[in-house]
């Protein structure tokens, strides 16, 4: 009786790729490794010499008393203990920085999203407006922009003149503890171009059919924004939130220029990075400044980890089923 030979099951492309990789001679793979390491060597040397090495030295100095002129003296956790128990200006810098982050980041993301939605709804002239709104972000944390901003908000400056025209008489913003931090927040919000462009790219990816179907079902603009735009845009919001929070924690130049280099009136502009610079490069307490830098790194890492851990509660992806 003749036997019928069943055909072999089809091989998936991934399996075929693995088979081809297994069939590849091991000698050829070993020969390509030296070339790969040769191309990676400049990057590895730069990373070790310019990143890893300084970080290790900074970590060691954070446990020492070091003034750049004498040999480091080991003090253990003395710098960290002094930081949280005996240094009132350090606690003030933490308070100012947290206030700046909690106010400027949501405002910046809100303004950038609103402007992105306006640009997305325009039919013509979008390129010009995108360039115009993005231009302030090109300045970044430049000294020139901070100097102009300081001139705008000084006593008798254009901002005070405009407010006085409408009957609101305010003192010099940069010299009053009640307004000085607000001027820096406004400068950060004004530079909303980078997240705006990212939001605009995300809005372009939302299918118009979803809004059209919701409108036919009677959903208004606010409901479409809440139930369609925000969920579809949540990965972009997540990315912008992480990036802007990190940038806000590292803000330095606006506080240095607008605050006069010493934290502004009554230390109202004493940002964390500004106080770190003052301690390390003006007072030459480099060990204490290194400890402050590592605390800042730990805080940024914790905040980023919290955002990542909570992202599954409010960030939605199109391939969510594939991820699970």
């Amino acid at each position: 009786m003749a036997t019928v030979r069943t055909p072999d099951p089809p091989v998936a492309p991934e399996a075929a790729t693995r088979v081809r990789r297994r069939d590849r001679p091991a000698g050829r793979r070993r020969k390509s490794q030296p070339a790969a390491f040769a191309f990676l060597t400049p990057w590895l040397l730069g990373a070790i010499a310019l990143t890893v090495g300084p970080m290790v030295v900074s970590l060691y100095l954070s446990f020492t008393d070091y003034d750049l002129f004498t040999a480091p003296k080991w003090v253990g956790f003395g710098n960290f203990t002094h930081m949280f128990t005996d240094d009132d200006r350090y606690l003030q810098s933490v308070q100012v920085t947290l206030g700046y982050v909690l106010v400027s980041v949501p405002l910046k993301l809100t303004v950038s999203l609103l402007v992105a939605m306006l640009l997305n709804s325009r039919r013509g002239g979008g390129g010009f407006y995108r360039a115009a709104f993005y231009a302030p972000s090109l300045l970044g944390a430049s000294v020139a922009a901070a100097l102009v901003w300081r001139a705008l908000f000084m006593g008798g400056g254009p901002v005070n003149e405009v407010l006085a025209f409408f009957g609101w008489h305010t003192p010099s913003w940069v010299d009053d503890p009640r307004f000085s931090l607000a001027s820096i927040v406004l400068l950060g919000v004004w530079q909303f171009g980078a997240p705006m462009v990212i939001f605009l790219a995300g809005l372009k990816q939302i299918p118009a059919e979803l809004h059209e179907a919701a409108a036919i079902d009677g959903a208004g603009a606010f409901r479409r924004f809440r139930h369609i735009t925000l969920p579809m845009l949540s990965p972009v919001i997540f990315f912008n939130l992480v990036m802007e929070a990190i940038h806000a924690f590292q803000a330095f130049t606006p506080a240095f220029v607008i605050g006069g280099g010493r934290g502004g009136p009554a230390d109202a502009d004493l940002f964390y990075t500004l106080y770190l610079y003052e301690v390390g490069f003006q007072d030459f307490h480099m060990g204490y400044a290194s400890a402050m830098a590592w605390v800042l790194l730990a805080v940024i890492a914790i905040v980023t980890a919290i955002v990542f851990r909570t992202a599954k509660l409010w960030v939605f992806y199109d391939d969510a089923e594939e991820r699970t």
Side-chain angles (χ1 to χ4, degrees):
M1 181 176 181
T3 58
V4 178
R5 183 177 181 274
T6 58
D8 296 333
V11 180
E14 296 82 0
T17 302
R18 290 195 296 269
V19 170
R20 288 196 296 269
R21 289 178 178 174
R22 286 197 297 266
D23 293 342
R24 186 182 300 172
R28 183 180 301 175
R29 292 198 299 269
R30 286 194 296 268
K31 290 180 180 179
S32 63
Q33 290 178 357
F37 281 112
F39 283 106
L40 287 174
T41 297
W43 180 88
L44 292 174
L45 293 177
I48 294 173
L50 302 177
T51 303
V52 178
M55 288 183 64
V56 173
V57 174
S58 174
L59 181 60
Y60 165 73
L61 292 178
S62 66
F63 296 99
T64 66
D65 182 11
Y66 180 51
D67 60 1
L68 293 178
F69 303 104
T70 59
K73 180 181 178 181
W74 183 265
V75 295
F77 289 95
N79 288 328
F80 299 93
T81 303
H82 176 73
M83 190 183 305
F84 294 105
T85 58
D86 299 328
D87 193 347
D88 293 335
R89 296 197 74 207
Y90 173 80
L91 298 179
Q92 172 69 10
S93 70
V94 172
Q95 180 180 349
V96 171
T97 303
L98 289 178
Y100 175 77
V101 173
L102 293 176
V103 175
S104 67
V105 173
L107 279 178
K108 189 173 184 178
L109 293 182
T110 302
V111 172
S112 59
L113 177 57
L114 292 176
V115 175
M117 293 180 64
L118 290 175
L119 293 179
N120 189 50
S121 62
R122 288 190 59 85
R123 298 301 179 184
F128 169 77
Y129 288 107
R130 283 197 301 270
F133 286 125
Y134 185 75
S137 293
L138 296 177
L139 301 176
S142 66
V143 175
L147 286 173
V148 172
W149 206 260
R150 178 181 174 85
L152 289 174
F153 285 87
M154 289 184 64
V159 173
N160 281 4
E161 294 294 332
V162 172
L163 294 177
F165 178 78
F166 291 99
W168 188 18
H169 299 278
T170 58
S172 173
W173 288 53
V174 298
D175 298 321
D176 193 308
R178 298 172 300 172
F179 298 96
S180 57
L181 182 60
S183 64
I184 301 177
V185 170
L186 291 176
L187 175 57
V189 174
W190 176 66
Q191 297 174 326
F192 63 85
M196 178 208 68
V197 171
I198 298 175
F199 276 134
L200 185 58
L203 290 171
K204 296 291 186 183
Q205 300 302 317
I206 300 178
E209 295 80 4
L210 296 178
H211 289 280
E212 295 173 358
I216 293 174
D217 291 338
F222 178 76
R223 292 187 62 186
R224 294 199 303 271
F225 173 77
R226 179 182 176 184
H227 297 287
I228 297 177
T229 303
L230 283 182
M232 295 292 290
L233 207 61
S234 57
V236 180
I237 298 174
F238 168 73
F239 175 80
N240 278 335
L241 176 62
V242 172
M243 298 303 298
E244 294 303 323
I246 293 175
H247 292 162
F249 273 110
Q250 297 176 330
F252 171 77
T253 303
F256 181 83
V257 176
I258 296 176
R262 302 295 295 183
D267 286 340
D269 301 333
L270 188 63
F271 279 42
Y272 194 99
T273 52
L274 179 59
Y275 186 51
L276 190 154
Y277 168 81
E278 180 181 325
V279 169
F281 296 96
Q282 293 182 0
D283 300 335
F284 300 109
H285 297 312
M286 191 58 67
Y288 191 57
S290 299
M292 290 180 59
W294 278 95
V295 171
L296 178 61
L297 176 63
V299 169
I300 292 177
I302 292 172
V303 171
T304 305
I306 292 174
V307 175
F308 270 88
R309 290 290 295 177
T310 58
K312 61 182 179 181
L313 302 176
W314 58 277
V315 179
F316 306 96
Y317 296 94
D318 292 338
D319 57 346
E321 296 181 357
E322 298 178 4
R323 291 172 179 265
T324 58

